[in-house]
Amino acid sequence: MKGFTRRGVALGAAIAVIAPLAAAEIKVDLKKETVGKAPTTFEPMVGTWVVAEDAGEKVIMVDGRPWVASKDNPTKLLIQSARTLYGTNNEELMDNAKQFAYFPVAVLKDSPEFVNGTISMKFKTVAGDADRASGILFNVKPNGDWLAIRYNDTENNVALWEFHNGIRRNMKFNRTEKFMLDRAAWHELKMTVDGADFKAWLDGKLALEYTLGSQPGPGRNGAPPNPDLFPENNAVLRPPVKGRVGLWAKTDSTSYFKDYVVVTR
């Protein structure tokens, strides 16, 4: 399979009685990518995604510099990408196009839908005036809804977000701790899903926990929560997780990404 190395665990019948679920691993290999070109391992859905080089190593870069000029016209790229991934220009996806412009995303190609397991990647913050955000995209639905766990270097925090009906809303912030990361260094963001249990780590430190499918708390100033935050109204919030995965950024963020690994079980 182009651009990936896979490792599956084959178990005999006797062993399978003890451990019926085998793990499978996908490591994104960037060695055959071409610097200066769009990646072949990820499908850019929104934003400018190119292969760059950092200290002699190939990386995926989300380039936030063209964002201001292109943010009001994302539809062309969305149509092309929807056809590539889903074989059609999904009408729901197109209806959400305007809001998509604020969130550059790239979907991992040639991979099964992620349900339970671990996703990890390394990122480096490069630039951004409005934002400096880097994240993991997951539970991507055919209509364009998604979940994302991200680190924001302008706020120094970790948050879990959902996107539904063309609007992004927060599910949980880590409001108790600031993560002051060195922008010149690489950092690891990792997440796990086990049924309804979600966890995220930043450089090996537990940064956020959440129970998927939880009922939302009150809104700002005690207002009732938005109806879209109730799992019964929003399929992307209901476990089990089942969708495509990839990379996530925000507005004019410029970040490097490498060592993207998906382990499913």
Side-chain angles (χ1 to χ4, degrees):
M1 183 171 293
K2 183 178 181 181
F4 301 101
T5 59
R6 288 181 176 269
R7 186 174 73 242
V9 180
L11 299 177
I15 299 176
V17 173
I18 300 173
L21 296 179
E25 184 178 84
I26 298 173
K27 290 184 177 180
V28 177
D29 184 0
L30 302 179
K31 292 186 179 66
K32 294 182 179 180
E33 296 280 18
T34 302
V35 174
K37 301 289 187 180
T40 61
T41 46
F42 289 86
E43 179 70 29
M45 298 291 289
V46 180
T48 303
W49 298 83
V50 297
V51 180
E53 194 171 67
D54 181 66
E57 184 178 26
K58 291 178 182 178
V59 300
I60 304 294
M61 179 178 75
V62 57
D63 187 353
R65 292 172 296 181
W67 177 80
V68 174
S70 64
K71 67 185 179 70
D72 292 324
N73 186 29
T75 307
K76 182 178 179 181
L77 179 58
L78 278 171
I79 291 172
Q80 293 171 344
S81 299
R83 285 173 175 161
T84 300
L85 288 173
Y86 301 112
T88 180
N89 58 330
N90 187 295
E91 289 187 7
E92 288 183 275
L93 191 67
M94 298 308 103
D95 290 342
N96 293 335
K98 185 173 179 61
Q99 286 296 327
F100 265 101
Y102 291 89
F103 309 109
V105 294
V107 174
L108 184 62
K109 293 182 179 179
D110 301 327
S111 65
E113 290 186 321
F114 175 83
V115 180
N116 284 319
T118 301
I119 306 173
S120 62
M121 60 88 172
K122 291 181 181 176
F123 69 92
K124 181 191 283 190
T125 302
V126 178
D129 292 326
D131 287 290
R132 291 187 294 272
S134 309
I136 297 171
L137 182 75
F138 68 105
N139 208 24
V140 181
K141 303 300 186 182
N143 69 346
D145 289 353
W146 47 251
L147 299 178
I149 182 73
R150 65 93 175 113
Y151 171 73
N152 192 324
D153 190 68
T154 61
E155 301 173 356
N156 305 111
N157 63 20
V158 174
L160 178 64
W161 293 91
E162 63 95 17
F163 186 91
H164 176 61
N165 285 343
I167 302 293
R168 184 194 66 152
R169 293 185 175 89
N170 173 251
M171 296 165 66
K172 186 171 183 179
F173 273 109
N174 182 334
R175 300 183 183 278
T176 62
E177 187 171 2
K178 292 287 187 181
F179 296 88
M180 310 301 294
L181 302 187
D182 179 2
R183 293 179 190 167
W186 284 92
H187 303 279
E188 182 187 59
L189 182 63
K190 182 174 76 172
M191 55 161 274
T192 61
V193 175
D194 185 2
D197 182 59
F198 175 88
K199 291 184 175 67
W201 289 262
L202 189 59
D203 287 341
K205 183 175 183 178
L206 185 64
L208 189 145
E209 296 182 82
Y210 188 79
T211 301
L212 298 167
S214 297
Q215 294 297 304
R220 185 173 297 178
N221 299 322
N226 189 284
D228 279 354
L229 288 176
F230 288 92
E232 56 267 30
N233 300 331
N234 185 346
V236 78
L237 299 180
R238 294 194 295 267
V241 164
K242 186 178 182 181
R244 308 292 290 265
V245 303
L247 298 168
W248 181 97
K250 186 182 178 186
T251 63
D252 69 337
S253 301
T254 296
S255 299
Y256 290 160
F257 300 92
K258 67 176 184 179
D259 296 347
Y260 196 96
V261 179
V262 181
V263 181
T264 59
R265 62 178 184 275

